[in-house]
Amino acid sequence: MMIYHDIERPGAAELLKWLQTTDLFTAPASTKYHGAYPGGLLDHILDVYYRMFPEAQQAGYDTETIAVVALLHDICKLNVYKAEEGGLSFSYHDDFPLGHGEKSVVLILKYMELTVEEMLAINWHMGAFDSRARTDMRNLNSVFNRNKLAVMLHIADMQATFLDDCKKGGHING
């Protein structure tokens, strides 16, 4: 399954088993903004991985760290979309509304450990699009100033969202 063989740390196999019980292969990446089609989430996370990998590897990050942050940054989106109108549109309902990046971190930590740098990268991958950043940019600026991995993940996520997802039938509205 995907590139998860690059993640070998304790708990990774259990995380993979859980992922296989979710809608990872069929979920959209959003209801209407990007990757808003069945399988859009999987396409999106793979695009993030492929966008991020060369630069992060050149910056000295190991394959496992790159795979962890790129492939798992949006697992907060699993099992929250319901197909409407014959599968052409989606509604959103989250039974665990913890937040975006922070929810992904918590879900991963249920199965395997993350480094502090990985946690911060996943937690802040939305950058200024995160509602927390709108009220206090100090934390976001602090993370981005000290954590190249977080910046690389954010940039790869934005490239995948605004450049790659639109080409595949997802679209950016408003």
Side-chain angles (χ1 to χ4, degrees), residues 6 9 53 56-57 59-68 118 149:
D6 289 336
R9 64 184 68 172
F53 190 87
Q57 192 174 46
Y61 290 100
D62 63 61
T63 302
E64 183 174 60
T65 290
I66 300 166
V68 165
E118 291 166 348
L149 187 68

Side-chain angles (χ1 to χ4, degrees), residues 85-133:
E85 301 174 28
L88 300 177
S89 65
F90 300 90
S91 61
Y92 177 87
H93 177 75
D94 190 352
D95 289 328
F96 186 43
L98 185 60
H100 189 82
E102 54 268 59
K103 179 180 174 184
S104 289
V105 169
V106 167
L107 290 172
I108 297 164
L109 289 174
K110 288 173 67 174
Y111 298 95
M112 68 180 197
E113 290 186 16
L114 295 169
T115 67
V116 170
E117 190 173 26
E118 291 166 348
M119 283 188 268
L120 290 172
I122 293 167
N123 185 53
W124 287 102
H125 77 270
M126 294 291 292
F129 288 96
D130 190 309
S131 60
R132 295 172 297 165

